[in-house]
Amino acid sequence: MRTETLAPVFRAKRLTTALAALALAGGAAGVQAGPVIMYGDEGFLQLNYELQIWSQYRDFRSNALDGDTYDTFLRRNRITVLGQYNDYIGFYAQLEAGNESRAGQDDRSVYYRDAYVTFDWSDPVRLIAGRFKSTFSRENLEACLEPLTLDRGIPSYAMGKTRDTGIALWGNLADARWQYRLMVADGLEGDNVPKTSPRITGRIHYSAFDPEYSYGYRGTYLGTQRVLTIGAAYDFQQDAVYANLPARSDARDYSAWTVDAFYEEPTAAGTLTLSAAYYDYSVDGALEGDPLLVDNSLTPTADMTSYYVKGGWLFPNRIGIGRLQVYARHESSDYNRSDDFYDQTINAIGANYYIDGQNVKFTFEYMDVSFDEEHPTINSLKDHKQATLGFQLLF
């Protein structure tokens, strides 16, 4: 098939493809419309700005200090640049200076959270290369600027990271009812890693109603789509961690699997949103041995089981100048360690007030965190409560 035959088809889809890249990186796919600069007949560049400001109350100051604390900070503060080089090749770059002023930490460094290129030969055959979101868990792949709840849960971050550097093959099949992904990335690296093996991640999902055809997902479609998607993924890296770090011996593999489901049903009375996932992370017991031997630099979530359920209700009519959505979340995590200090349950309730969809909104969330066994000295591992008021602006 000649390129000249394919080009008009891809040219018509350039903008849709590029906007879908925002969902991949955690941006607000389809709701933003920043300035666009055209380059010739095929290329263009688009600029966006995304800001989340949080004011947060918590009933402990820090790991070592007791007492209540109140903090206002920039949870996310990003400039994104995306576009197309031609009908086949696209690109995305995101500069981040997040958590600015959190706990008094000002003047944070600006860095590239995402930087990748895309190659779209057809809907079933697409490639991504660079630094981008790991394709493991649904909640991590849900755009952080289009969530249902205030933010993601910690267990959604495989290996404790949101992004990785590598290449992914993915695509949609059967009119986007099915979607597949296969990613090969760096995974865990550094002096504490026994072997620099590649990290292999595979994911598949099935959409029964309206398809979720982008690489990224949304935490809510605000009643614009009827969605039922069921997904599963597997993650693996050989010889990823030492069970005996001081001796640099007894290498163990990392593996993980997850299943998840998302359902959104618009009705005349309002829109119901339900979502759930189960995670099983393992480093083959490498964190449950003698505390003097295990690699404590490794995130505790590397060996754990966890699940969450969350649901929301979007009222159909405006209340004042915006629309109201209420939600609740329950999350439970069981860590595979020699102690029970990390095992915890989180319950949260909150509300989103959309003034202009996800572009301008307020969120309030109250969270209660309880541990199976409270740590005697570390305050963040003791039962605590947290209340957050958030504001989001997307341009």
Side-chain angles (χ1 to χ4, degrees):
M1 184 178 292
R2 297 182 56 176
T3 302
E4 289 83 354
T5 304
L6 286 173
V9 177
F10 278 90
R11 185 173 297 116
K13 297 182 178 179
R14 281 202 316 271
L15 184 57
T16 301
T17 301
L19 289 175
L22 285 169
L24 161 61
V31 300
Q32 301 180 96
V36 176
I37 302 173
M38 303 304 298
Y39 288 95
D41 295 332
E42 297 182 346
F44 71 88
L45 179 148
Q46 182 174 341
L47 180 68
N48 297 289
Y49 178 61
E50 298 118 12
L51 176 67
Q52 288 180 339
I53 304 173
W54 288 7
S55 291
Q56 192 169 81
Y57 165 83
R58 196 173 55 192
D59 62 5
F60 70 91
R61 290 186 61 191
S62 67
N63 282 340
L65 297 175
D66 292 322
D68 298 351
T69 184
Y70 167 80
D71 195 10
T72 298
F73 55 95
L74 307 186
R75 175 64 181 91
R76 292 178 174 91
N77 183 28
R78 300 174 175 176
I79 293 175
T80 59
V81 179
L82 72 152
Q84 290 289 124
Y85 175 75
N86 57 25
D87 288 322
Y88 301 97
I89 301 173
F91 55 89
Y92 185 97
Q94 181 169 242
L95 291 168
E96 171 77 282
N99 290 317
E100 173 70 22
S101 296
R102 190 169 193 171
Q105 298 296 313
D106 298 321
D107 302 323
R108 289 186 180 267
S109 298
V110 178
Y111 63 97
Y112 281 97
R113 178 165 289 277
D114 301 276
Y116 58 85
V117 295
T118 61
F119 180 83
D120 299 302
W121 175 254
S122 64
D123 197 28
V125 181
R126 301 172 181 267
L127 287 171
I128 308 165
R131 178 171 174 79
F132 55 96
K133 276 194 172 181
S134 168
T135 193
F136 180 68
S137 73
R138 178 187 174 101
E139 194 169 50
N140 180 50
L141 288 161
E142 288 180 352
C144 56
L145 301 168
E146 295 189 76
L148 174 64
T149 56
L150 179 72
D151 212 340
R152 307 182 186 97
I154 293 175
S156 66
Y157 301 134
M159 293 187 174
K161 323 195 305 188
T162 63
R163 272 81 171 169
D164 211 336
T165 304
I167 187 169
L169 171 68
W170 72 287
N172 297 301
L173 307 172
D175 294 327
R177 295 294 182 191
W178 290 92
Q179 186 182 97
Y180 75 93
R181 304 123 178 274
L182 179 64
M183 182 174 180
V184 180
D186 287 343
L188 294 174
E189 299 178 289
D191 295 339
N192 292 351
V193 178
K195 183 180 178 181
T196 55
S197 302
R199 174 188 180 186
I200 310 297
T201 310
R203 180 175 173 85
I204 190 169
H205 82 226
Y206 173 75
S207 295
F209 303 140
D210 291 341
E212 294 190 282
Y213 52 83
S214 297
Y215 183 92
Y217 302 107
R218 300 187 194 180
T220 174
Y221 290 87
L222 301 180
T224 61
Q225 293 184 211
R226 183 175 183 241
V227 180
L228 175 59
T229 298
I230 299 171
Y234 184 74
D235 206 14
F236 179 79
Q237 184 174 347
Q238 186 180 27
D239 295 338
V241 59
Y242 288 114
N244 187 333
L245 181 60
R248 294 294 196 273
S249 65
D250 195 4
R252 307 285 180 92
D253 296 339
Y254 158 82
S255 63
W257 61 271
T258 184
V259 291
D260 49 69
F262 177 86
Y263 175 63
E264 186 155 289
E265 182 74 33
T267 71
T271 298
L272 173 67
T273 305
L274 297 172
S275 184
Y278 180 84
Y279 309 96
D280 188 311
Y281 297 103
S282 174
V283 284
D284 199 17
L287 294 179
E288 65 176 340
D290 186 338
L292 297 178
L293 302 180
V294 303
D295 182 1
N296 287 309
S297 67
L298 190 67
T299 172
T301 59
D303 209 327
M304 66 175 297
T305 58
S306 180
Y307 73 89
Y308 72 78
V309 290
K310 55 184 176 179
W313 182 262
L314 176 67
F315 292 92
N317 300 317
R318 284 183 171 268
I319 300 174
I321 62 172
R323 297 184 68 189
L324 179 65
Q325 181 183 56
V326 294
Y327 67 81
R329 178 189 179 97
H330 172 76
E331 177 185 308
S332 180
S333 300
D334 186 5
Y335 293 75
N336 190 14
R337 294 172 56 92
S338 57
D339 57 62
D340 295 325
F341 294 136
Y342 286 85
D343 297 345
Q344 62 184 277
T345 300
I346 298 175
N347 291 297
I349 57 172
N352 298 309
Y353 189 65
Y354 301 99
I355 297 174
D356 182 17
Q358 298 284 7
N359 289 329
V360 182
K361 76 170 184 179
F362 288 90
T363 298
F364 175 79
E365 182 177 279
Y366 174 81
M367 178 186 294
D368 181 273
V369 183
S370 61
F371 292 85
D372 290 0
E373 181 180 350
E374 293 185 283
H375 197 282
T377 59
I378 300 177
N379 288 319
S380 61
L381 297 181
K382 297 179 182 180
D383 296 351
H384 61 270
K385 297 173 175 57
Q386 180 175 287
T388 306
L389 176 64
F391 170 74
Q392 175 169 291
L393 173 66
L394 309 179
F395 176 77

